[in-house]
């Protein structure tokens, strides 16, 4: 059976990005609910090609359970269509959550990011908006539009490698702000930094460097240490502070040795 948009019924718009829109849809053949990213042909470029290549790679990685998976990709004369799992929940809300729930999500997020790194991919835009909470305390890491491949062997084309600096201001790492050549090492360490920012927000309801002016925020990200409330649970400091260590070598040493089983009440 040939793939066609005629096989799907569009239900509602879920969101939109730089290159296209994402819709909730139903597969008319199977009855399954899916998400479809629709990208106009005129916007098809190396970034879209990279996203499709990475989604294919991640879909083959059966070990990574907490990430969005691609079902198929096809095109017609007007659009490119990327059919993905439908994440049935909503983005993690920007609010403080109880310690027990924080521990649960910390384990899930760390496990998911370690898994994509082991598969040779850096997400490059980890943030609350890209973590979809699902029923039964599950979640999906979504939106691989800025992702890149971290291994530079012959199987990875140059356009899929980590050679570009992207990110959301509140989550961006110091090493990205200091400039210089972008590398896979920086992409991976920046993912780890962003995990620290997400966990800080879920713990305290604010960003570790919480400034409206982006330039001021960047200046503080480069030089300041995050401030923890005096009454902060010890487990928060134990996990978050090393993830927000400006010394990349020390941050990655902690990350590589981090066992999620040590995260407990």
């Amino acid at each position: 059976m040939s793939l066609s948009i005629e096989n799907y019924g569009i239900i509602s718009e879920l969101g939109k990005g730089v290159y296209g829109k994402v819709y909730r849809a139903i597969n008319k053949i199977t009855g399954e609910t899916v998400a479809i990213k629709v990208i106009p042909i005129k916007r098809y470029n190396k970034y879209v090609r990279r996203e499709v290549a990475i989604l294919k790679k991640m879909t083959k990685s059966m070990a990574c359970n907490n990430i969005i998976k691609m079902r198929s990709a096809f095109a017609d004369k007007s659009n490119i269509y990327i059919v993905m799992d439908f994440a049935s929940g909503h983005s993690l809300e920007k609010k403080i959550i109880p310690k027990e729930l924080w521990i649960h999500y910390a384990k899930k997020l760390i496990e998911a990011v370690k898994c994509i790194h082991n598969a040779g991919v850096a997400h490059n835009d980890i943030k609350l908006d890209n973590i979809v909470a699902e029923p039964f305390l599950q979640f999906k890491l979504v939106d691989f539009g800025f992702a890149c491949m971290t291994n530079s062997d012959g199987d990875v084309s140059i356009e899929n490698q980590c050679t570009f600096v992207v990110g959301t201001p509140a989550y961006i790492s110091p090493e990205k702000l200091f400039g210089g050549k972008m590398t896979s090492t920086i992409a991976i360490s920046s993912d780890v930094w962003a995990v620290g920012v997400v966990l800080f927000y879920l713990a305290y309801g604010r960003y570790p460097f919480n400034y409206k002016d982006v330039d001021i925020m960047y200046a503080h990200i480069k030089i300041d240490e995050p401030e923890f409330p005096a009454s902060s649970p010890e487990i928060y400091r134990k996990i978050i502070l090393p993830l927000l260590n400006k010394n990349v070598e020390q941050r990655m040493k902690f990350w590589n040795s981090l066992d999620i089983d040590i995260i407990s009440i």
Side-chain angles (χ1 to χ4, degrees):
M1 182 183 68
S2 62
L3 295 171
S4 168
I5 193 60
E6 298 302 320
N7 295 331
Y8 298 91
I10 302 297
I11 298 173
S12 61
E13 183 179 316
L14 295 174
K16 55 186 174 182
V18 176
Y19 300 112
K21 295 182 178 181
V22 180
Y23 298 91
R24 179 180 180 180
I26 189 166
N27 186 316
K28 296 177 182 178
I29 308 299
T30 65
E32 291 181 290
T33 300
V34 297
I36 302 180
K37 178 176 279 191
V38 181
I39 303 163
I41 287 288
K42 63 182 179 181
R43 294 187 179 178
Y44 182 64
N45 55 28
K46 64 181 182 180
Y47 304 108
V48 176
R49 288 196 298 272
R50 185 182 65 234
E51 182 178 4
V52 171
I54 287 172
L55 284 171
K56 284 182 178 178
K57 184 180 181 72
M58 295 312 307
T59 299
K60 290 179 181 178
S61 180
M62 301 304 292
C64 299
N65 296 320
N66 287 34
I67 64 167
I68 207 73
K69 299 290 179 70
M70 185 175 75
R71 304 288 188 90
S72 61
F74 55 92
D76 58 24
K77 293 181 179 180
S78 302
N79 300 301
I80 307 291
Y81 303 95
I82 304 174
V83 183
M84 299 169 286
D85 292 339
F86 172 67
S88 58
H90 52 79
S91 298
L92 284 181
E93 294 186 55
K94 294 180 178 178
K95 66 178 183 180
I96 300 172
I97 61 175
K99 184 168 73 171
E100 293 79 5
L101 188 57
W102 183 93
I103 289 171
H104 174 80
Y105 280 129
K107 289 182 175 182
K108 291 285 187 183
L109 179 57
I110 290 167
E111 185 177 41
V113 176
K114 279 179 172 282
C115 194
I116 66 171
H117 287 175
N118 289 339
V121 170
H123 187 278
N124 244 344
D125 198 24
I126 293 171
K127 57 184 178 181
L128 287 166
D129 290 341
N130 287 337
I131 303 170
V132 177
E134 295 192 301
F136 308 109
L137 297 180
Q138 299 301 310
F139 78 78
K140 285 283 194 300
L141 183 60
V142 304
D143 196 349
F144 282 74
F146 286 152
C148 56
M149 295 187 186
T150 58
N151 49 326
S152 57
D153 55 33
D155 294 332
V156 179
S157 65
I158 292 176
E159 71 178 32
N160 290 339
Q161 294 174 23
C162 301
T163 58
F164 49 93
V165 176
V166 291
T168 300
Y171 299 84
I172 204 162
S173 68
E175 54 268 32
K176 281 187 175 180
L177 294 177
F178 279 115
K181 183 180 179 181
M182 181 65 183
T183 65
S184 295
T185 301
I186 290 175
I188 291 171
S189 66
S190 296
D191 274 0
V192 174
W193 174 276
V195 169
V197 175
V198 167
L199 296 182
F200 190 100
Y201 202 113
L202 293 177
Y204 305 115
R206 61 177 175 85
Y207 294 114
F209 305 98
N210 202 31
Y211 300 90
K212 291 183 179 179
D213 185 287
V214 173
D215 290 333
I216 293 175
M217 179 190 295
Y218 284 170
H220 285 277
I221 288 173
K222 288 179 181 179
I223 62 174
D224 285 352
E225 297 300 322
E227 294 184 4
F228 291 80
S231 59
S232 177
E234 182 59 30
I235 188 62
Y236 291 177
R237 292 174 180 268
K238 184 177 180 180
I239 301 301
I240 297 172
L241 197 55
L243 297 179
L244 296 180
N245 191 329
K246 297 185 196 306
N247 184 307
V248 175
E249 184 177 348
Q250 292 178 8
R251 188 194 316 156
M252 294 311 299
K253 183 178 180 180
F254 172 79
W255 175 259
N256 292 331
S257 64
L258 179 57
D259 182 349
I260 61 172
D261 290 333
I262 72 167
I263 307 175
S264 61
I265 301 174

Short mmCIF file of all heavy atoms in Angstrom, two decimals, residues 225-262:
data_model
loop_
_atom_site.label_atom_id
_atom_site.label_comp_id
_atom_site.label_asym_id
_atom_site.label_seq_id
_atom_site.Cartn_x
_atom_site.Cartn_y
_atom_site.Cartn_z
N GLU A 225 26.97 31.11 39.67
CA GLU A 225 26.52 29.79 40.12
C GLU A 225 25.03 29.89 40.45
O GLU A 225 24.56 30.94 40.92
CB GLU A 225 27.30 29.35 41.35
CG GLU A 225 28.79 29.16 41.12
CD GLU A 225 29.08 28.12 40.06
OE1 GLU A 225 28.37 27.09 40.01
OE2 GLU A 225 30.02 28.33 39.26
N PRO A 226 24.27 28.83 40.23
CA PRO A 226 22.84 28.88 40.59
C PRO A 226 22.65 28.98 42.10
O PRO A 226 23.43 28.42 42.87
CB PRO A 226 22.30 27.54 40.06
CG PRO A 226 23.49 26.64 40.02
CD PRO A 226 24.66 27.52 39.68
N GLU A 227 21.63 29.73 42.50
CA GLU A 227 21.34 29.89 43.92
C GLU A 227 20.21 28.95 44.32
O GLU A 227 19.14 28.96 43.72
CB GLU A 227 20.96 31.34 44.22
CG GLU A 227 22.11 32.32 44.01
CD GLU A 227 21.72 33.74 44.41
OE1 GLU A 227 20.60 33.92 44.92
OE2 GLU A 227 22.55 34.65 44.23
N PHE A 228 20.45 28.16 45.36
CA PHE A 228 19.46 27.23 45.88
C PHE A 228 18.84 27.78 47.15
O PHE A 228 19.56 28.32 48.00
CB PHE A 228 20.11 25.87 46.19
CG PHE A 228 20.56 25.11 44.97
CD1 PHE A 228 21.75 25.42 44.34
CD2 PHE A 228 19.79 24.07 44.47
CE1 PHE A 228 22.17 24.73 43.22
CE2 PHE A 228 20.19 23.36 43.35
CZ PHE A 228 21.39 23.68 42.72
N PRO A 229 17.52 27.67 47.32
CA PRO A 229 16.90 28.08 48.58
C PRO A 229 17.51 27.34 49.76
O PRO A 229 17.93 26.19 49.63
CB PRO A 229 15.43 27.68 48.38
CG PRO A 229 15.24 27.64 46.90
CD PRO A 229 16.54 27.17 46.33
N ALA A 230 17.57 28.01 50.89
CA ALA A 230 18.19 27.41 52.07
C ALA A 230 17.51 26.11 52.48
O ALA A 230 18.15 25.19 53.00
CB ALA A 230 18.15 28.40 53.23
N SER A 231 16.21 26.02 52.25
CA SER A 231 15.45 24.83 52.67
C SER A 231 15.42 23.74 51.59
O SER A 231 14.64 22.80 51.68
CB SER A 231 14.01 25.23 53.01
OG SER A 231 13.37 25.83 51.88
N SER A 232 16.24 23.87 50.59
CA SER A 232 16.23 22.94 49.46
C SER A 232 16.58 21.52 49.89
O SER A 232 17.56 21.31 50.63
CB SER A 232 17.24 23.40 48.40
OG SER A 232 17.31 22.49 47.35
N PRO A 233 15.81 20.52 49.48
CA PRO A 233 16.16 19.13 49.79
C PRO A 233 17.55 18.79 49.28
O PRO A 233 17.94 19.22 48.19
CB PRO A 233 15.08 18.32 49.05
CG PRO A 233 13.92 19.25 48.93
CD PRO A 233 14.53 20.61 48.74
N GLU A 234 18.28 18.01 50.01
CA GLU A 234 19.66 17.69 49.65
C GLU A 234 19.76 16.98 48.31
O GLU A 234 20.71 17.19 47.55
CB GLU A 234 20.28 16.82 50.75
CG GLU A 234 21.75 16.46 50.50
CD GLU A 234 22.66 17.68 50.39
OE1 GLU A 234 22.34 18.72 51.03
OE2 GLU A 234 23.66 17.60 49.66
N ILE A 235 18.77 16.16 47.98
CA ILE A 235 18.81 15.41 46.72
C ILE A 235 18.80 16.35 45.53
O ILE A 235 19.40 16.07 44.49
CB ILE A 235 17.64 14.39 46.63
CG1 ILE A 235 17.81 13.48 45.41
CG2 ILE A 235 16.29 15.09 46.59
CD1 ILE A 235 19.04 12.62 45.41
N TYR A 236 18.13 17.51 45.66
CA TYR A 236 18.10 18.47 44.55
C TYR A 236 19.52 19.00 44.28
O TYR A 236 19.98 19.03 43.13
CB TYR A 236 17.18 19.65 44.88
CG TYR A 236 15.71 19.32 44.91
CD1 TYR A 236 14.77 20.30 45.25
CD2 TYR A 236 15.22 18.06 44.61
CE1 TYR A 236 13.41 20.03 45.28
CE2 TYR A 236 13.87 17.76 44.64
CZ TYR A 236 12.97 18.76 44.98
OH TYR A 236 11.63 18.48 45.02
N ARG A 237 20.20 19.43 45.33
CA ARG A 237 21.56 19.93 45.17
C ARG A 237 22.50 18.85 44.64
O ARG A 237 23.35 19.10 43.79
CB ARG A 237 22.10 20.44 46.52
CG ARG A 237 21.40 21.68 47.05
CD ARG A 237 21.92 21.99 48.45
NE ARG A 237 21.31 23.17 49.01
CZ ARG A 237 21.79 24.40 48.92
NH1 ARG A 237 22.92 24.60 48.26
NH2 ARG A 237 21.18 25.42 49.47
N LYS A 238 22.31 17.65 45.16
CA LYS A 238 23.19 16.53 44.82
C LYS A 238 23.16 16.22 43.33
O LYS A 238 24.18 15.86 42.74
CB LYS A 238 22.77 15.30 45.62
CG LYS A 238 23.65 14.08 45.44
CD LYS A 238 23.17 12.94 46.33
CE LYS A 238 24.05 11.71 46.16
NZ LYS A 238 23.59 10.58 47.03
N ILE A 239 21.98 16.38 42.71
CA ILE A 239 21.84 16.07 41.29
C ILE A 239 22.00 17.30 40.41
O ILE A 239 22.73 17.29 39.41
CB ILE A 239 20.47 15.40 41.02
CG1 ILE A 239 20.32 14.12 41.85
CG2 ILE A 239 20.30 15.11 39.53
CD1 ILE A 239 21.39 13.08 41.58
N ILE A 240 21.33 18.39 40.77
CA ILE A 240 21.29 19.56 39.88
C ILE A 240 22.63 20.28 39.81
O ILE A 240 23.08 20.66 38.72
CB ILE A 240 20.18 20.54 40.33
CG1 ILE A 240 18.80 19.89 40.22
CG2 ILE A 240 20.24 21.82 39.50
CD1 ILE A 240 17.68 20.74 40.82
N LEU A 241 23.27 20.50 40.95
CA LEU A 241 24.50 21.31 40.97
C LEU A 241 25.59 20.75 40.05
O LEU A 241 26.18 21.52 39.26
CB LEU A 241 25.00 21.45 42.41
CG LEU A 241 26.01 22.57 42.66
CD1 LEU A 241 25.48 23.91 42.21
CD2 LEU A 241 26.39 22.62 44.14
N PRO A 242 25.85 19.45 40.07
CA PRO A 242 26.87 18.93 39.13
C PRO A 242 26.44 19.04 37.67
O PRO A 242 27.29 19.16 36.79
CB PRO A 242 27.02 17.46 39.54
CG PRO A 242 26.49 17.38 40.93
CD PRO A 242 25.41 18.41 41.01
N LEU A 243 25.13 18.99 37.40
CA LEU A 243 24.66 19.12 36.02
C LEU A 243 24.83 20.54 35.51
O LEU A 243 24.91 20.76 34.29
CB LEU A 243 23.18 18.70 35.92
CG LEU A 243 22.85 17.24 36.25
CD1 LEU A 243 21.35 17.00 36.14
CD2 LEU A 243 23.62 16.28 35.34
N LEU A 244 24.88 21.51 36.42
CA LEU A 244 25.06 22.92 36.06
C LEU A 244 26.48 23.39 36.37
O LEU A 244 26.72 24.59 36.55
CB LEU A 244 24.04 23.79 36.78
CG LEU A 244 22.57 23.53 36.41
CD1 LEU A 244 21.64 24.45 37.19
CD2 LEU A 244 22.33 23.69 34.90
N ASN A 245 27.39 22.46 36.42
CA ASN A 245 28.81 22.79 36.64
C ASN A 245 29.36 23.41 35.36
O ASN A 245 29.26 22.84 34.28
CB ASN A 245 29.58 21.52 37.00
CG ASN A 245 30.99 21.81 37.49
OD1 ASN A 245 31.62 22.78 37.09
ND2 ASN A 245 31.49 20.95 38.37
N LYS A 246 29.95 24.60 35.45
CA LYS A 246 30.48 25.27 34.27
C LYS A 246 31.73 24.58 33.73
O LYS A 246 32.10 24.77 32.56
CB LYS A 246 30.74 26.74 34.57
CG LYS A 246 29.46 27.48 34.93
CD LYS A 246 29.71 28.95 35.10
CE LYS A 246 28.57 29.64 35.83
NZ LYS A 246 27.26 29.42 35.23
N ASN A 247 32.37 23.78 34.57
CA ASN A 247 33.50 22.99 34.13
C ASN A 247 32.96 21.75 33.39
O ASN A 247 32.42 20.84 34.00
CB ASN A 247 34.36 22.57 35.33
CG ASN A 247 35.62 21.82 34.92
OD1 ASN A 247 35.56 20.84 34.18
ND2 ASN A 247 36.75 22.26 35.42
N VAL A 248 33.10 21.77 32.07
CA VAL A 248 32.48 20.72 31.24
C VAL A 248 33.03 19.34 31.59
O VAL A 248 32.29 18.35 31.67
CB VAL A 248 32.69 21.01 29.74
CG1 VAL A 248 32.15 19.87 28.89
CG2 VAL A 248 32.00 22.32 29.37
N GLU A 249 34.33 19.25 31.81
CA GLU A 249 34.94 17.95 32.13
C GLU A 249 34.35 17.37 33.40
O GLU A 249 34.02 16.17 33.47
CB GLU A 249 36.46 18.10 32.25
CG GLU A 249 37.18 16.79 32.49
CD GLU A 249 38.69 16.94 32.55
OE1 GLU A 249 39.20 18.03 32.18
OE2 GLU A 249 39.37 15.99 32.95
N GLN A 250 34.21 18.21 34.44
CA GLN A 250 33.64 17.73 35.70
C GLN A 250 32.16 17.38 35.55
O GLN A 250 31.68 16.40 36.11
CB GLN A 250 33.83 18.79 36.79
CG GLN A 250 35.27 19.00 37.19
CD GLN A 250 35.44 20.09 38.24
OE1 GLN A 250 34.46 20.61 38.77
NE2 GLN A 250 36.68 20.45 38.52
N ARG A 251 31.43 18.21 34.76
CA ARG A 251 30.01 17.93 34.51
C ARG A 251 29.83 16.57 33.85
O ARG A 251 29.00 15.76 34.26
CB ARG A 251 29.41 19.03 33.64
CG ARG A 251 27.89 18.93 33.48
CD ARG A 251 27.37 19.82 32.35
NE ARG A 251 27.99 21.14 32.36
CZ ARG A 251 28.10 21.93 31.31
NH1 ARG A 251 27.63 21.52 30.13
NH2 ARG A 251 28.68 23.10 31.38
N MET A 252 30.63 16.30 32.83
CA MET A 252 30.50 15.06 32.09
C MET A 252 30.99 13.86 32.90
O MET A 252 30.47 12.74 32.75
CB MET A 252 31.24 15.15 30.76
CG MET A 252 30.64 16.16 29.79
SD MET A 252 28.83 15.99 29.59
CE MET A 252 28.73 14.33 28.93
N LYS A 253 31.97 14.07 33.75
CA LYS A 253 32.42 12.99 34.62
C LYS A 253 31.29 12.56 35.55
O LYS A 253 31.05 11.36 35.76
CB LYS A 253 33.64 13.43 35.44
CG LYS A 253 34.22 12.35 36.33
CD LYS A 253 35.46 12.84 37.07
CE LYS A 253 36.03 11.74 37.96
NZ LYS A 253 37.24 12.21 38.70
N PHE A 254 30.56 13.55 36.09
CA PHE A 254 29.41 13.25 36.95
C PHE A 254 28.33 12.54 36.14
O PHE A 254 27.78 11.52 36.56
CB PHE A 254 28.85 14.53 37.56
CG PHE A 254 27.56 14.34 38.29
CD1 PHE A 254 27.54 13.82 39.57
CD2 PHE A 254 26.34 14.67 37.70
CE1 PHE A 254 26.35 13.62 40.26
CE2 PHE A 254 25.14 14.48 38.36
CZ PHE A 254 25.15 13.95 39.64
N TRP A 255 28.02 13.08 34.96
CA TRP A 255 26.96 12.52 34.12
C TRP A 255 27.26 11.07 33.73
O TRP A 255 26.39 10.20 33.82
CB TRP A 255 26.80 13.37 32.87
CG TRP A 255 25.83 12.86 31.85
CD1 TRP A 255 26.13 12.19 30.70
CD2 TRP A 255 24.40 12.97 31.89
NE1 TRP A 255 24.98 11.89 30.01
CE2 TRP A 255 23.91 12.36 30.71
CE3 TRP A 255 23.50 13.54 32.78
CZ2 TRP A 255 22.55 12.30 30.42
CZ3 TRP A 255 22.14 13.49 32.48
CH2 TRP A 255 21.68 12.87 31.32
N ASN A 256 28.48 10.81 33.32
CA ASN A 256 28.84 9.47 32.86
C ASN A 256 28.82 8.44 33.97
O ASN A 256 28.62 7.25 33.73
CB ASN A 256 30.21 9.50 32.18
CG ASN A 256 30.19 10.26 30.87
OD1 ASN A 256 29.18 10.32 30.18
ND2 ASN A 256 31.32 10.88 30.52
N SER A 257 29.01 8.91 35.20
CA SER A 257 29.00 7.98 36.34
C SER A 257 27.66 7.96 37.07
O SER A 257 27.48 7.19 38.01
CB SER A 257 30.10 8.36 37.33
OG SER A 257 29.85 9.64 37.88
N LEU A 258 26.70 8.81 36.59
CA LEU A 258 25.43 8.96 37.30
C LEU A 258 24.56 7.72 37.12
O LEU A 258 24.21 7.34 36.00
CB LEU A 258 24.69 10.19 36.78
CG LEU A 258 23.31 10.50 37.38
CD1 LEU A 258 23.41 10.66 38.90
CD2 LEU A 258 22.73 11.76 36.76
N ASP A 259 24.22 7.10 38.22
CA ASP A 259 23.34 5.93 38.24
C ASP A 259 21.99 6.40 38.76
O ASP A 259 21.89 6.92 39.87
CB ASP A 259 23.93 4.84 39.15
CG ASP A 259 23.09 3.58 39.18
OD1 ASP A 259 21.94 3.59 38.68
OD2 ASP A 259 23.58 2.57 39.72
N ILE A 260 20.93 6.24 37.95
CA ILE A 260 19.63 6.76 38.37
C ILE A 260 19.11 6.11 39.65
O ILE A 260 18.25 6.67 40.33
CB ILE A 260 18.57 6.63 37.25
CG1 ILE A 260 18.35 5.15 36.87
CG2 ILE A 260 18.93 7.46 36.04
CD1 ILE A 260 17.20 4.95 35.92
N ASP A 261 19.66 4.97 40.00
CA ASP A 261 19.19 4.28 41.21
C ASP A 261 19.61 5.02 42.49
O ASP A 261 19.07 4.75 43.57
CB ASP A 261 19.72 2.84 41.26
CG ASP A 261 19.06 1.95 40.20
OD1 ASP A 261 17.91 2.27 39.82
OD2 ASP A 261 19.67 0.97 39.77
N ILE A 262 20.60 5.93 42.37
CA ILE A 262 21.01 6.68 43.56
C ILE A 262 20.04 7.84 43.83
O ILE A 262 20.11 8.46 44.90
CB ILE A 262 22.44 7.22 43.44
CG1 ILE A 262 22.49 8.39 42.42
CG2 ILE A 262 23.42 6.13 43.08
CD1 ILE A 262 23.78 9.18 42.47
#
